[in-house]
Amino acid sequence: VQLVESGGGLVQAGGSLRLACAVSGVTSDEYTIGWFRQAPGKMRESLLCISSGDRTRYYSDSARGRFTISRDKAKNVVYLQMRDLEPDDTAVYYCAGDRNLASWYLLLGDWGQGTQVTVSS
């Protein structure tokens, strides 16, 4: 399984950004795919994921209400739409996959290489 993120970049506070996670080696709707982030000096933070049955589960209060996840089954891509971005959202964002929704948040499955998101004030 290979996961490749794209779409990161520099955005001003209050702006929006959409990240993409291209999935290969498995059909994305067979997998729970989600996003986590890691900022310098901070612990890894699980954000949200989408199950094989298209259920969304949030793990971060910061993400709830501002971040949404969606899946394009035809393209085998999972998206993270982020809005109202804040400087505290600055981090490397990773997509991660697991066959089990219940254990996705443990991040023991497959990861991408990450994409940098920088939010300027």
Side-chain angles (χ1 to χ4, degrees), residues 33-112:
I33 302 281
W35 295 86
F36 71 95
R37 66 187 180 187
Q38 186 153 26
K42 295 185 178 180
M43 292 185 64
R44 202 172 293 150
E45 180 185 16
S46 295
L47 297 173
L48 72 171
C49 67
I50 185 167
S51 72
S52 58
D54 286 342
R55 284 185 293 162
T56 297
R57 182 171 289 184
Y58 284 90
Y59 298 92
S60 166
D61 289 339
S62 175
R64 195 184 301 272
R66 298 189 301 130
F67 295 1
T68 56
I69 191 169
S70 61
R71 188 199 304 272
D72 185 326
K73 294 180 181 180
K75 295 182 179 179
N76 220 22
V77 175
V78 173
Y79 298 101
L80 175 65
Q81 179 69 50
M82 304 184 289
R83 64 177 178 84
D84 297 330
L85 286 164
E86 305 164 354
D88 281 349
D89 293 316
T90 295
V92 178
Y93 284 71
Y94 299 84
C95 65
D98 196 296
R99 293 196 181 276
N100 190 336
L101 170 63
S103 61
W104 176 86
Y105 74 100
L106 296 173
L107 305 178
L108 300 176
D110 302 294
W111 297 8

